[in-house]
Amino acid sequence: MARSISYITGSQLLSLRRHPSIAVVDVRDDERSYDGHISGSLHYASDTFSDNISNLIQAVKGKDTLVFHCALSQVRGPTCARRLVNYLEENKEDTGIKNIMVLERGFNGWEASGRPVCRCTNIPCKGELSP
């Protein structure tokens, strides 16, 4: 079954923030460390993403929706989302992942809209998406 990638707005993501089956995947590279991040998000830098897909799949066990983003969600976020879709189709793994999405306007749009940003240095971030 071919998986498609859909888009989610920041408002939609914020309203779903407490749903335990959603994981936010930040694929920005170095800028995560100085720009902050969406609280509770996982970090899988785009430059090493392909090498770490199996680690991501382990980290999101029990999640059925993954929301990818980069700074603007125009290149890196959609590219990594597509890489995951291709990996899942090639390996025919039953990971339980049903929805692969990209955050519209990325982290920059999220922050510019006044949504919560975490500036912790914990890896992984243990925070929650909270206003």
Side-chain angles (χ1 to χ4, degrees):
M1 172 179 94
R3 287 185 171 92
S4 62
I5 297 170
S6 56
Y7 283 77
I8 185 171
T9 66
S11 296
Q12 290 168 322
L13 179 58
L14 196 58
S15 72
L16 298 172
R17 69 187 180 269
R18 290 191 173 89
H19 203 280
S21 66
I22 295 176
V24 177
V25 183
D26 184 341
V27 298
R28 292 175 299 153
D29 300 312
D30 295 337
E31 66 264 45
R32 178 182 168 102
S33 62
Y34 52 81
D35 283 347
H37 53 274
I38 295 174
S39 186
S41 62
L42 302 170
H43 184 229
Y44 287 86
S46 65
D47 59 353
T48 58
F49 183 79
S50 294
D51 297 332
N52 289 304
I53 288 178
S54 60
N55 295 335
L56 171 62
I57 290 170
Q58 289 300 313
V60 300
K61 276 210 184 307
K63 309 288 185 189
D64 66 11
T65 301
L66 302 187
V67 179
F68 284 80
H69 77 82
C70 56
L72 300 172
S73 289
Q74 293 180 349
V75 179
R76 294 175 292 177
T79 298
C80 290
R82 173 57 50 203
R83 285 181 186 155
L84 178 61
V85 166
N86 292 343
Y87 176 89
L88 294 173
E89 288 177 353
E90 288 169 13
N91 292 286
K92 303 200 184 326
E93 277 187 60
D94 183 13
T95 60
I97 299 169
K98 295 178 177 68
N99 304 302
I100 298 175
M101 307 174 101
V102 174
L103 176 62
E104 287 180 0
R105 298 180 59 223
F107 176 80
N108 293 0
W110 175 272
E111 185 177 37
S113 297
R115 295 192 178 92
V117 172
C118 182
R119 302 208 185 276
C120 79
T121 55
N122 301 334
I123 298 174
C125 174
K126 298 291 186 195
E128 295 179 3
L129 290 174
S130 57

